[in-house]
Amino acid sequence: MTQVVTTIDEVRALVRTWRAQGDTVGLVPTMGYLHEGHASLITRSVAENARTVVSVFVNPTQFGPNEDLESYPRDLERDVALVEKCGADVVFHPTPEEMYFPDRCTTVHVEGLGKELCGKSRPIHFDGVCLVVSKLLNITTPDRAYFGQKDAQQLLIVRRMVRDLSMGVQVVGCPIVREEDGLAKSSRNTYLSAEERAAAVVLSKSLAAGRAVLEGGERSAAAVCDAVRAVLASEPLAAPEYVEVVSTDTVTPVERVEGEVLCAIAVRIGNTRLIDNFFYNPNE
Ligand code: AMP
């Protein structure tokens, strides 16, 4: 039976009981409106840990002033049913007031990595993510925490934060779960009209073209980006925000693909901003 808890004290008490029994703990941080992408993380955590906590929290500190904090989709009842089906123990669903003191003055900032890619149009986003993830890790003290490669920059930043601050949790990256036509599953896909939903397939198609260029032996990042952009240009409803090939170490653009890279895109389809990516290592 999945238990829903709303206070930090309740989660801590549960984790204490589990620890006393020698149980391992997995954490899956989410903003809710769960889909199969989230389910893959939860299922993996359930398989790898005796206990799993799924947090469902639309974190206000990671939204900019003109972003979709208010309209972000929410459905706790459905989320709890999905978490239960996956076999997790607890849904942690705090209010913003439970998570944040009005006079809080501590920030968590990963220098550099958060300024690139999505950081250019969402300047406060990754600081907000680091703050909430730090808090969730402090509250649940898990052995492992699960993050999707769907949000690849987030995954790289969280890994760096955990390393730099000796947080002692294992960060587990999980592959992107996609719709049948290739669109990466996302809670924000619900914003798309039928016409936009059909157009959104262009994201994964464009990345497939970029990957094909790399697999053909090309090592120029510009050539990869050109191939991606050409496919995106074929869809009139798609307005690319960025198309980049970056180092997985620094998240800065590379000229040539020599070590592991992340090829990442952000594209507006109508009013909805979608992201997608792939990792590529020419030496593997
Ligand atoms: P969100 O609720 O969008 O903040 O996502 C919570 C976690 O689920 C993050 O680590 C995401 O990267 C991950 N996630 C979201 N969508 C997918 C997907 N399609 N495939 C794999 N992981 C995902």
Side-chain angles (χ1 to χ4, degrees):
M1 201 40 200
T2 300
Q3 207 176 327
V4 181
V5 302
T6 56
T7 68
I8 294 170
D9 285 348
E10 283 171 288
V11 186
R12 283 199 207 280
L14 281 168
V15 173
R16 221 176 291 127
T17 321
W18 298 338
R19 289 286 182 210
Q21 298 165 3
D23 289 349
T24 54
V25 180
L27 169 70
V28 183
T30 83
M31 296 208 300
Y33 214 72
L34 304 180
H35 50 66
E36 285 160 55
H38 301 108
S40 72
L41 273 56
I42 301 168
T43 305
R44 178 134 177 219
S45 175
V46 168
E48 294 178 352
N49 304 277
R51 303 287 184 170
T52 291
V53 178
V54 179
S55 60
V56 172
F57 179 58
V58 183
N59 173 39
T61 65
Q62 70 189 64
F63 287 79
N66 299 316
E67 293 183 356
D68 56 345
L69 173 62
E70 299 306 325
S71 59
Y72 197 85
R74 292 158 167 93
D75 188 342
L76 184 66
E77 213 173 300
R78 216 178 107 243
D79 289 348
V80 175
L82 187 138
V83 170
E84 171 119 39
K85 212 167 125 202
C86 296
D89 300 81
V90 166
V91 169
F92 176 44
H93 181 58
T95 59
E97 295 71 31
E98 176 71 9
M99 286 295 274
Y100 294 116
F101 293 95
D103 62 345
R104 71 187 163 81
C105 44
T106 306
T107 58
V108 186
H109 174 71
V110 177
E111 188 57 34
L113 279 62
K115 293 199 183 104
E116 306 294 331
L117 303 178
C118 291
K120 289 182 182 154
S121 66
R122 308 188 75 191
I124 63 154
H125 176 66
F126 291 109
D127 284 2
V129 168
C130 286
L131 182 60
V132 79
V133 171
S134 301
K135 286 177 69 79
L136 291 168
L137 291 173
N138 286 338
I139 293 164
T140 60
T141 62
D143 298 279
R144 300 179 190 84
Y146 295 78
F147 293 87
Q149 285 171 17
K150 160 83 195 332
D151 299 278
Q153 188 177 12
Q154 169 176 288
L155 174 61
L156 295 174
I157 289 172
V158 168
R159 271 195 205 291
R160 188 62 63 91
M161 173 184 79
V162 164
R163 187 202 72 175
D164 288 351
L165 297 182
S166 310
M167 286 175 152
V169 60
Q170 186 189 335
V171 174
V172 182
C174 303
I176 302 176
V177 176
R178 297 177 178 281
E179 302 287 353
E180 252 173 46
D181 66 358
L183 176 65
K185 285 187 186 267
S186 166
S187 309
R188 289 190 169 99
N189 290 349
T190 53
Y191 297 151
L192 301 168
S193 69
E195 194 192 357
E196 290 167 349
R197 170 64 189 83
V201 72
V202 77
L203 275 86
S204 58
K205 277 200 178 142
S206 72
L207 290 176
R211 186 187 271 283
V213 166
L214 283 165
E215 282 170 356
E218 177 64 60
R219 292 292 169 258
S220 148
V224 177
C225 292
D226 285 349
V228 173
R229 279 203 194 91
V231 177
L232 291 173
S234 71
E235 173 49 65
L237 291 183
E241 180 183 302
Y242 66 73
V243 173
E244 287 194 47
V245 177
V246 300
S247 147
T248 53
D249 189 31
T250 59
V251 195
T252 52
V254 298
E255 266 180 40
R256 297 195 55 78
V257 178
E258 271 145 13
E260 189 189 44
V261 292
L262 169 68
C263 177
I265 61 176
V267 179
R268 275 189 188 278
I269 306 279
N271 289 326
T272 305
R273 182 177 178 281
L274 300 176
I275 55 172
D276 201 349
N277 67 80
F278 67 89
F279 286 90
Y280 185 82
N281 189 338
N283 309 315
E284 278 178 3

